Amino acid sequence: MRLLVLGASGQCGRILVELAAAAGHQVSAQLRDGADYTPPPGVAALRGDPLDAAFVARAIAGHDRVASGLGLRRKHPGNPWSPLISPPDFCSRTAAHIVAGMRAAGVSRVVAISAAGVGDSAARMNWLMRFLVARSNVGVAYRDLAVMERVYADSGLDWQTPRPTRLSDGPASGRVVETDAFPLSAAISRADVAAYVLAQLVAPSLAARTPTITRG
């Protein structure tokens, strides 16, 4: 598989790059200028802005699958109230560029990471996430992700936007399950998310469009 990973310098993105390369896939990693990440040997590094539609189209050409770990960035990532350092519509705008580039290149499948509680899963959010979505910049990100999901849903592509519960560090457990619940205790490692995304990219077909995923 010839795979393009957008957002490859992010915490999920870089794990996905390394898993895909280790599995023998031909991987290209999109990196923003100044990103402090060196992909593994054999991975093509493509530096450019995913808000640049022409760059995205060039990056997609020649690939079989596209994965996106792109997301809104805050000045202090651990602080939900920290100011945004990316546009508030970053995910939805880049999704539109990805869809256009895939159509032009004849690429059919895309998997883009979303979040549990986005879109029609909002009613299942726990009280803490409801508070953060209502009162902090987490809400900006969730509204943007909801629009991003609609962009893919309307694209006519073979798409999926998995919605992980609270992200954690640590190794992959290999126990990823799809769920309708989103309690405070729900969490999934970034390594498990990356492994799930890779499995969806190579699967014969996508069984779900917006699965909420967590550690089983």
Side-chain angles (χ1 to χ4, degrees), residues 110 112 149 157-163 206-211:
V110 56
E149 290 188 358
L157 299 174
D158 188 21
W159 64 279
Q160 186 187 76
T161 54
R163 298 166 170 170
L206 296 171
R209 297 299 183 188
T210 58

Side-chain angles (χ1 to χ4, degrees), residues 169-192:
D169 295 322
S173 70
R175 301 192 305 272
V176 179
V177 297
E178 297 179 11
T179 181
D180 289 329
F182 190 7
L184 275 172
S185 60
I188 184 171
S189 72
R190 293 174 175 87
D192 273 329

